[in-house]
Amino acid sequence: MDDFLYLMIELVAFAIIGAAVYLICRNKRARSAVGINLKPPKICPNCSEALPFFRFPKSFKQALVGGWTCSRCHSEIDKWGTITKRINL
């Protein structure tokens, strides 16, 4: 009986991990907030300023899903390199 219970727990754990990996890979292709970007943007699309290699999030959203704030024009850029909030000074 104990062996069956452990087997079922392992099956459920592998199913949850498999579903999570599938969703992350699927969302990577769709460029959603949950996907993983392995090639982060190098420059700001608004002013062409170089983005820092190490990211310091300026908001909770940036800390949660990734992104940068340009030090020159203060535009917010998501992890895919798209401007989410353009600020004109």
Side-chain angles (χ1 to χ4, degrees):
M1 183 68 176
D2 287 337
D3 292 337
F4 179 73
L5 181 62
Y6 289 128
L7 179 65
M8 294 309 293
I9 290 172
E10 287 177 0
L11 278 172
V12 169
F14 283 126
I16 291 172
I17 291 170
V21 168
Y22 168 75
L23 289 174
I24 288 172
C25 291
R26 186 189 70 177
N27 289 334
K28 180 181 187 261
R29 287 191 298 262
R31 290 188 167 213
S32 73
V34 184
I36 298 172
N37 186 7
L38 299 176
K39 296 178 184 175
K42 304 233 185 280
I43 61 168
C44 173
N46 189 30
C47 68
S48 300
E49 176 77 11
L51 294 172
F53 184 72
F54 293 105
R55 186 177 66 87
F56 298 103
K58 303 270 195 245
S59 66
F60 181 73
K61 179 184 173 191
Q62 285 182 2
L64 190 63
V65 296
W68 290 264
T69 300
C70 179
S71 60
R72 184 168 158 196
C73 67
H74 303 288
S75 295
E76 290 187 9
I77 300 126
D78 67 0
K79 66 182 167 188
W80 304 107
T82 308
I83 295 176
T84 57
K85 186 180 355 176
R86 185 183 304 252
I87 299 175
N88 295 322
L89 297 176

